[in-house]
Amino acid sequence: MSNVTDYNEVSKSYDTGRKAADAHVIKSLMEHFTGKDVKDMDLVDIGCGTGNYSEYFMQFEPNSLTLFDASEGMLNKAKGKVTTSASSKTKLSFHHVVLPDMPFPENSFDAGMINLVLHHLEENPDGKSFPNAAKALKEAFRVLRPGGVLTITTETPENLEGNWFAHLVPEATKRWYKRLPTHAHIKNMLEDAGFSMKSSYKTLMASYFPDQRDLEGPLHESWRNLNSFWAICTQSEIQDMVEKVTQMKNENSLREFFQKHDKTYSVGALEIFAAQK
């Protein structure tokens, strides 16, 4: 269950502005390192949300696809979406599961994916250790078959530094930093779980959130609800931010602020990892 966002509520509007970022890359990583086609794989979508990534994979007719999430609202959206696009060749299963536990037998899956989930797992994040994330990765290792591949798509502290709107609420950003494992943290947790790191790279576009560069987006609650970062802000921080953005808009300095702080083109919007059992 997310320790940040009420996803039962967010699920109602989530798909209006979120996409399956770089799902084609995730597929390629899975196929390359397993040596199998997706159509011959048993896949698991760990923290599936509304099923955007699983919906993408359904077009390739995997042998089976297991989806689970801690939010019943998100899971119900995923059921409707993935079932609609389902092929009779793919065996589907949906489960209400709270990470880090994964109630599946050992050696159940050929590949798994964890997309924009890790930052939700810690109850009292300190930015130094991530016990729930570490346990989730150990569980992923257990349920994957030998040679199986796990992909992780996540935001790191460096990515956050390059996100322009994080600089609108500096105190909230300091708290959000503590939720984000660094590249080194993730590499170490994967290796501690038993995985061998195979690939890691940064995406230079926020394709998961197409309206990320909307300069007036922060003024609108509907826009903020599409990114869990804003859920960590206090009401007074939101109010101060709205006043600041409105002032910059009126002074025609908002674009200058954006250009000063937008560094996703150099530090990346997200990082994608691939590791093998």
Side-chain angles (χ1 to χ4, degrees):
M1 182 173 295
S2 172
N3 287 293
V4 182
T5 302
D6 179 0
Y7 272 114
N8 288 328
E9 182 62 29
V10 170
S11 66
K12 299 173 184 177
S13 59
Y14 189 82
D15 286 339
T16 62
R18 293 295 293 263
K19 305 298 178 184
D22 300 296
H24 61 292
V25 176
I26 294 170
K27 174 180 178 285
S28 297
L29 291 169
M30 290 176 174
E31 292 184 327
H32 177 75
F33 290 117
T34 63
K36 298 181 178 181
D37 291 333
V38 161
K39 67 181 178 60
D40 299 318
M41 291 188 198
D42 296 311
L43 301 179
V44 60
D45 191 346
I46 300 166
C48 65
T50 63
N52 285 336
Y53 288 86
S54 285
E55 183 182 34
Y56 169 83
F57 274 87
M58 284 304 300
Q59 65 186 297
F60 305 104
E61 301 181 333
N63 183 56
S64 72
L65 179 55
T66 298
L67 299 83
F68 70 84
D69 201 272
S71 164
E72 293 187 3
M74 299 293 264
L75 191 61
N76 286 335
K77 287 280 188 179
K79 285 180 182 179
K81 183 185 302 179
V82 176
T83 301
T84 299
S85 63
S87 161
S88 59
K89 297 179 181 179
T90 300
K91 180 181 177 181
L92 290 172
S93 62
F94 302 88
H95 306 268
H96 180 234
V97 173
V98 179
L99 287 168
D101 296 322
M102 298 186 198
F104 307 103
E106 294 180 7
N107 306 320
S108 293
F109 307 105
D110 297 296
M113 51 186 166
I114 301 177
N115 299 308
L116 298 167
V117 169
L118 295 184
H119 57 278
H120 291 288
L121 299 185
E122 307 307 327
E123 294 182 12
N124 298 295
D126 60 9
K128 299 176 182 178
S129 63
F130 300 85
N132 285 344
K135 184 177 179 181
L137 298 185
K138 290 177 180 178
E139 280 286 272
F141 183 86
R142 181 183 64 80
V143 302
L144 287 177
R145 295 174 180 138
V149 168
L150 176 70
T151 65
I152 301 172
T153 304
T154 193
E155 183 180 35
T156 66
E158 184 181 23
N159 300 145
L160 179 62
E161 181 63 28
N163 191 332
W164 74 276
F165 59 72
H167 297 271
L168 293 170
V169 281
E171 292 305 312
T173 295
K174 290 177 184 177
R175 299 194 298 275
W176 193 248
Y177 270 125
K178 295 180 180 180
R179 292 199 159 275
L180 304 179
T182 64
H183 173 97
H185 280 134
I186 294 172
K187 179 176 184 293
N188 290 339
M189 287 191 291
L190 284 167
E191 292 176 348
D192 286 348
F195 285 103
S196 172
M197 273 275 291
K198 291 296 184 181
S199 180
S200 172
Y201 77 97
K202 297 172 183 176
T203 65
L204 301 185
M205 292 179 61
S207 53
Y208 71 102
F209 185 19
D211 291 334
Q212 187 257 6
R213 297 165 69 89
D214 180 355
L215 303 191
E216 296 184 26
L219 297 175
H220 307 289
E221 184 178 8
S222 58
W223 184 92
R224 297 194 300 269
N225 284 343
L226 296 173
N227 193 310
S228 55
F229 166 81
W230 294 101
I232 206 169
C233 298
T234 65
Q235 218 28 62
S236 62
E237 286 171 332
I238 293 293
Q239 183 177 345
D240 290 345
M241 177 277 296
V242 168
E243 291 176 0
K244 180 177 181 179
V245 172
T246 300
Q247 181 179 353
M248 289 191 290
K249 176 186 173 182
N250 293 337
E251 295 173 350
N252 294 317
S253 61
L254 184 54
R255 180 160 296 279
E256 181 182 350
F257 179 92
F258 169 81
Q259 292 172 340
K260 177 181 178 180
H261 294 291
D262 176 39
K263 305 296 181 185
T264 55
Y265 59 86
S266 59
V267 302
L270 299 172
E271 189 161 357
I272 299 178
F273 297 78
Q276 189 167 32
K277 180 172 178 178

